[in-house]
Structures are given as structure tokens and as C-alpha cells.
Amino acid sequence: MARQGRQLDQRFTAALMTAQVAGVHLGISQNTIKEWIRSGDEAAVMHSVPPPSPHGPRLPFIALAEAQILRELRNAKLSMQHIRAGVARLRKLTGEEYVLATRTIATDGVDLLFNAASEVAPEWVRAVDGQAGIRQVVETAIKFVSYADDGYAERVTLKPYGAAQVIIDPRFGFGQPVFEASKVPVETIADLFYGGGESVEDIADEYDLSTEDVETVLRVMARRAA
């Protein structure tokens, strides 16, 4: 995709969430997300856009897709120093600024990431325990990302919701988390329970959901006040 096209694509430009809200839905601490979007002397490993207000959202959809890869790299105990070095080298090798959110990662990019990482530092090739390779880390992460015909991410399945199958897709729910099948926003479910006082059973019946799905949403959304 040309740079001009990205400037018009809301996946790259529309601010959807704050770090705190994104952290709830992604299962990542907001401080970690803030670290990923902080550039300092180097380019940030996760993208952000100018917020519409001083405390407004600054994370576009594409950043949430990038977070999938970054989360798994960190779960594999890789240091941020080596992650930043690996991402920088990948960008240089591919010429792609959004390399962590492209289909390249899901195809030949897995080998590319593995090979590029080995040229950066041994820690990129194997995690601290000496077992988990970068290939396995990336393959785990991309299970939660779907790609559009242009090669960039278009949908993220939110891992903390498990079998409830909650997604973020800019085409639905104004880019906020919705159930994949019905496109019912999870915010609606939480508001009915916490604000409206409706029971789990009544909510499940009203929106044709299982009580387990409703309970999962409430458990994840309860982190908003944590």
C-alpha cells in the first residue's frame, strides 16, 4: 500500500482506544503499551496517532494488530532491547514501516523474522529457557490476526475473551470490540449488567448468547476499574 493510501485508511489513522482501554481488551498492562508506543531516541515498535483531545484515544486499529506479535515476543521472555533491534532491522530489510501488522509475518515473513533476528542477537533466536524459537512465537501470535487483500491486518481476535470469540474489526461497531457472530458490542453487555442491573441470564437470552459468553465479557470488562 502506498503511503498516500495509508493516510486515508482508517485502520492506520483513526484513533480507537487509549492505552488503558486497549490493555483491558488485549490483556496487556497499559504501562507496557505506553512503553511500546514511546519512541525516545528510536522509532517506536508500536504505532500511535495524535489524540483528538489531551486525554483522548491514540491507538489506531493497526497498532492493536502489532500488539499481538509484541505480546508473544515478551511472553517468550525476550528483552525490549532485542525486540526493538529486531523490528528496526526488519523494517530496514523489507522497507515496510508496519511490518508487524502485515501478511508478510504470516507467510515468508516468519522465516524472514527468524533469519533477521539471528543477525541481531542470539536472544531473538531462542528465549531465555533455550526452547521457544521465534517461529513458534510468531505463529502463535498470528492466529489472532486476519489480513485484508492489501496485505495489512483487518481483524484482531481478542485473546482474553477466549471461546466467546470477540473481535476488533474497523468495519463493525466503530472499531470497538464486538462478538464475531452477532456484532453485538461487548460494551453493551457490560452496560446492561453494571449500569442497567440486568441478570446474566436475561442478557444472554436477549442477545442470543450463552451465559458463559456473557460472564467472560463481564470478567474481562471488570478490569476497567482495576
Side-chain angles (χ1 to χ4, degrees):
M1 178 185 292
R3 182 179 297 274
Q4 183 178 5
R6 289 201 294 261
Q7 291 174 347
L8 300 175
D9 191 326
Q10 290 195 346
R11 288 176 297 171
F12 298 85
T13 61
L16 299 179
M17 298 182 184
T18 63
Q20 192 274 334
V21 171
V24 169
H25 297 300
L26 292 168
I28 304 170
S29 77
Q30 64 173 312
N31 288 336
T32 295
I33 291 177
K34 289 178 179 178
E35 178 187 358
W36 290 348
I37 63 176
R38 185 180 298 116
S39 58
D41 296 331
E42 301 175 341
V45 292
M46 179 176 168
H47 287 85
S48 61
V49 297
S53 61
H55 301 289
R58 58 181 304 189
L59 298 181
F61 168 79
I62 211 71
L64 307 180
E66 292 171 323
Q68 305 298 309
I69 297 289
L70 292 170
R71 176 181 58 200
E72 298 307 324
L73 290 173
R74 289 297 287 139
N75 284 346
K77 309 301 182 184
L78 302 181
S79 73
M80 281 308 303
Q81 177 184 358
H82 288 124
I83 289 174
R84 290 183 185 279
V87 169
R89 179 159 181 79
L90 271 178
R91 288 171 175 166
K92 182 177 180 180
L93 287 172
T94 65
E96 172 55 63
E97 172 66 20
Y98 296 89
V99 65
L100 293 183
T102 66
R103 187 184 283 120
T104 300
I105 290 296
T107 55
D108 59 322
V110 175
D111 287 324
L112 179 60
L113 179 57
F114 185 84
N115 293 334
S118 67
E119 298 177 22
V120 176
E123 189 179 357
W124 262 81
V125 181
R126 291 191 180 277
V128 173
D129 61 7
Q131 300 298 319
I134 292 297
R135 173 183 290 275
Q136 288 72 35
V137 172
V138 175
E139 288 177 347
T140 296
I142 62 176
K143 291 178 181 178
F144 299 95
V145 180
S146 299
Y147 301 90
D149 291 340
D150 64 8
Y152 293 101
E154 69 174 355
R155 172 177 294 188
V156 170
T157 299
L158 297 173
K159 191 174 181 179
Y161 291 90
Q165 290 296 298
V166 173
I167 64 168
I168 294 177
D169 185 324
R171 297 170 295 182
F172 306 107
F174 302 99
Q176 298 304 305
V178 298
F179 283 96
E180 182 174 20
S182 64
K183 306 304 185 291
V184 173
V186 297
E187 190 73 39
T188 297
I189 303 303
D191 287 347
L192 288 173
F193 182 83
Y194 292 113
E198 293 196 25
S199 69
V200 169
E201 292 75 14
D202 286 345
I203 296 172
D205 183 65
E206 181 177 355
Y207 288 97
D208 195 25
L209 300 168
S210 70
T211 56
E212 290 79 9
D213 286 347
V214 174
E215 288 170 348
T216 296
V217 166
L218 298 177
R219 183 168 58 251
V220 173
M221 297 291 279
R223 295 181 57 208
R224 293 181 299 177

